[in-house]
Structure formats: C-alpha cells, structure tokens
Amino acid sequence: MELAAPPRKASGGDDASPWLARHPIPWRPARFPAHADRWALDDWCPPETVEAVAALHRQGRYDVVIASYTWMSAVLEAVPGAFRVLDTHDLIGGRAAEAARLGLAPSWFWTGLAEEAAGLARAELVLGIQPEESEVLRRRGARAVLTVGHATGPGAVPPRARGPATWDFGLLASANVWNLHGVAALDRALAPHPGIPWLLAGEAGVAGGFRSAGMAIGPVAEAGAFYRLVDCVVNPVEGGTGLKIKTVEALGLGHPVIGTRHAFAGLGARHPAQQAGDAAAAAGWMAEYRASPALRTELLAASRELAGRWRASVEEGLDRLAALEADLRLRVGLLRAGRLDWRNGEAVLALHGGRLLADPLAIDGAGGRIALRVAAEGTASPPSLDVSAHAPSVDLAALLPALGLPGGVSGMLDAETALSARGRTLREMAAGLNGSLGLALADGRVDISLLDAVAGDLRRLLLPNAPRNGSEAVRCLALRLQARDGVASAQAMLLETDIASVLGSGSVDLGQERLDLRLLPRARLGGIGLAIPVVVDGALAQPRLRADPQGAASAGAAILKELSNRRNDPGGTLGQTLNQALGQILGEGDSEADCAAQLRIARGGREGPVPAPAAPENRQGGVGDLLRGLLRR
C-alpha cells in the first residue's frame, strides 16, 4: 500500500512505516467556509490536492484508493478505474444541529446533509467507525457500508498490576467543544462531593477553576503516564459524533470505565454505569463506585468483557474488509479511453473470501475482441495473481498511439498469455513468475526510426549503409516465452523484414533482471546472406551486445537445437526445419517455412496467417559461395 499525505515534520529517529511508499502532496484547506452557515463539501480538499492524487494514479494505476474523511472525498473522482473506498471516521452532516442541542457553536468541519450525501456517493464502499454511525450512513445514501472500528490496546492489562492507583478517577481529554462541555458539567455535578477527588489530564480544562475536588495536570508526554496514575476512567461527554477514542483506549488497557451513553455510543455497553444519561448521572455512579467494593468488581468485569467484544468486532470488520465479498455483472456499450473506443464490454466479477475472480472479462477494440481471465487471492501467503488473455487480432496502428506509446508499427498482432505469480511486491512476483507469453504477426510494417530507437546498435552493425528514413516491411514476428520460477526461456524467437532477419534463443531472468540471449541476425545484401552471430547479455537496464565467438553455422545450429530441446521436440517441427533454417541463415533456400513454423509455435500450436511469399533474390553465385565458405569455418 502507498500513502499520499501532506508533508510531515522531520523525525529524529528511525521512522518505521507499513507503507511501501509515502508521497507528500499539497494540502492547503480553505481558511473560511464557502457558505455563511457551513463549510462546502470540498473546502478542505483543494484542487491541487486532487490533481496530485490524479498524477499519482496516472503513474501507478492503483486498484483500490481509500480517502480518509468525507471532506477528502473529491480525490476519489481523480482515480478512474480504481475501487473507491471512503473511510468516514465521523459524521460531518448535521454536526451544527448536534452542537446547538447543547448550546455550543459548531467546530472542526461541519456541512449539510445533502453535501455529505454527495461525498458518500463518490465511493463504492463507505467505512463507518461504529455500528450506530454505519446505520446513519446507510440512511444518508451510502451505497455499501462496512463497520471497521478503532482497535483497542494490546489486551486486558490489570490496572493494579503495577501497584495501587494514586487516583480513583481520571479523565484524559483534548480541548474540543464536546470535551470542554462534558468536563465543565462533571465539575459542576461533583461540586457537592468534595470527598471524590479526580484527575484531569490533556488540553481540556475548567474555565474559572474547579468547583469540585478535581486537579488538572495538563498535557502528558505519553498516555501511559496518565493511565498509570488512575484506577477508574470517566468520560462525561453529553454529545458529539464518531467513536469516543478515549473510552476505547481505557477499555483496551483494562481499566473500569464510567460514562454517559454518548461516551459509549456504538460500543454495545450493557452495564448501567456505562449508559448514564448525562454527566450528573455519571457523577452519581462515581460516588457509588467509591463506596461499593462489589460495584468495583462488577464494573471491572463488565468493562473487560466489553473490551473483548469490541476488539472482536474490530477484527471481524477488518477481516470482512480484507475478504470483501461481491458478485458483479457489468456491461459496457462504449468506453472511450484516450483516442480509442472500446465497445461491447462484459465482465463477471466475484469477490469471496479474499479471492477475486474476473471471468469473463472481454471487450472489443483495437481491431478485435480481447478476452481475459484474472484471479487474485489476497489472503494467501504470499498473495497470488493468475492472468490469462487472448487477443487474436490487435491493430497495432490503432492501439499503440491510443495507449500513449510510440507509433510507427502496423499490422495485426495475435497475442496470448497465461501467467501466474506469487509475492507481495512486483519484484517478488517477477522472481516467481510462471507461464507463457506468445506474440505472432505476419505482414506488418515498422518505421525505420523506431527500429533504430529499439535496436539501433544491432541494425547499424548489420547494415551500416541501410536507409534511415521510411518504413520497412515485417514479414513475420514470432515470439514465445515460457517462464518458470522467474526465468523466461524462448521457445520461438524470429523477426524477419525485407532486408534482414533475426533468429534467437536464450532466457531472461526476471528475478535477477539479467539477459542471456543468442541472436543470429542475417542481412540480405544483393543475393548474399550475411550472418553475424551476436550475444546479448548483462543487466536488463544495460544489456551488452557482442559478437558470438561461434561461427554462423555453429551458432545457428546451437540456437535451433536449444529451441527444439526447450519444446521437448528434438525430432518434431523444429528438427524437420533445421536444414531449411540453416539454409536461410547462410543465404540459401526459402524463409517462408521458417516463418510459418515459428509463428505456429508462437501461437501455441494454432494455425494463423503466414507471410506472403518473398520475392526471389538475385543471387550472385561466386561471391555468395565465397562468403558461405568463410562463414562455415
């Protein structure tokens, strides 16, 4: 997973992170609301933030994008093709009315119900932080809602395991309006009870000083410093939205907790001391707790039981998110992507138990129908991905420019693949890749400038005086790679144009990112076939090109023998065409049989188009015989 977030302050120590990458992006929310009585939905998600996310998506094409908070939902419109998830954390619609109920001015971010609904509509899946809010989100128009709560602490830790607590009661609170209101209400309620001291930590305080036996210690360096001082934690809030994190935190650390029904909203509390109507009622439970050992035991047990239930519900929500289940059938009449129109698309998607199956997944475009099958299993260890595809007639002249790739190639490409990979990263998947890839093309054309860009060194070596402009006919392109444990070996490798051909064998180690190829290019110069064996090896990023120390005939025989052995067919198709291919290499015979054989292998044994017969060469016997004699040495 990758994280896009505003730049953070430098950290002095090791900054371990679960993210594969972290992308700092601009975030400058509006200083003032767009409306007189509320923020507009996107006031805190400026256009430059949306564009930064869009740019990342164009580079990486993410499968799933999660926006945190509804006021950031605009970024979900910048990620076409991704599964869009909105993690709400809180309700933002109607917060002003909730604050007004307590006589408070709204704070943080608040907007109208209609604008919140517009934000929810941007996501295929909406996450609610607790069950009661999830139900509200459904009523407000979210298409699909899953509850994923805030995780509690590492387990139930007996609060007195480190000795007696200094304070019977305590509250750790920030200075938001809900906490300030609750703290003031609790102080008023405890004023008649000077025998109940309590500790207040954090940024919250009591305006004008305490009326009760409370004491404030201000912010603490770490929450544990507060929790080690107190026995029972109190949360007196009388309103608000979302999940009360300090309630969950105290439960997770094994403390007994007293609070209002707002403090326990969505947690499923059962003990009446955790369903107090207001701060005054919570103060009454504090007095009873202090006087009754039986209640202390009872509330401790109830709090730990609630902590266990909540922890289990959070784990269940995370498991359901990881193993999200869905069955979708999609039909697309017209999909316009860039400069290419795709039509008559159909997809059947099934997501069950962490396994995604897309079968069939097909669409018409670029000259023909493209059919795929995709299976991914995210719960496997390591995750797995299986992809098979067949596109029997891809119009390269239309497809490549539409994908933003260099043009200059025309012809109908027959492509098929069946690949499987395991791993947590692309590098791991490449290192364990298995399966096959086949490409076959007959009678195409390629711009000479593109040939120079792709294989300029090799072409200049063979044809130093070859033309630099125009195009060149491609009689055939045949390639079939068989991958096993990350090493892709060539079963067919031939490129033939009007003036040259290249026959090859070898392998590509995807795990080590290295090449080991043997090529036998042959240039037709008049009636002479000039063959210069070449080795291409080294790193994928910086391959080396050098002459093969073997002679042309020996190199050609070795290449064809290797191809034949890799197909477990030493006496089959390749064996039968060995002499024909060697004749082609040395300027003898007809190349059509070799093109046909290699194309058939590239197609996995299927028949298909083969090139038109080549024009006969005007051979010059004496010079040709001389060169053939030299090359045979």
Side-chain angles (χ1 to χ4, degrees), residues 323-337:
L324 192 65
E325 297 195 355
D327 289 283
L328 300 174
R329 181 178 295 273
L330 305 176
R331 292 189 181 276
V332 178
L334 172 64
L335 175 63
R336 182 157 293 159

Side-chain angles (χ1 to χ4, degrees), residues 11 60 68 80 83 86 89 169 205 208 274 277 317 329 335 348 393 404 445 473 482 500 531 596 612:
S11 174
S68 192
F83 186 75
L86 177 60
H89 297 280
F169 304 104
Q274 297 171 340
R329 181 178 295 273
L335 175 63
V348 177
S393 54
R445 293 199 73 82
Q482 186 70 38

Side-chain angles (χ1 to χ4, degrees), residues 95-112:
R95 283 172 57 87
E98 173 67 3
R101 181 180 63 82
L102 298 177
L104 303 175
S107 64
W108 192 60
F109 189 95
W110 72 96
T111 190

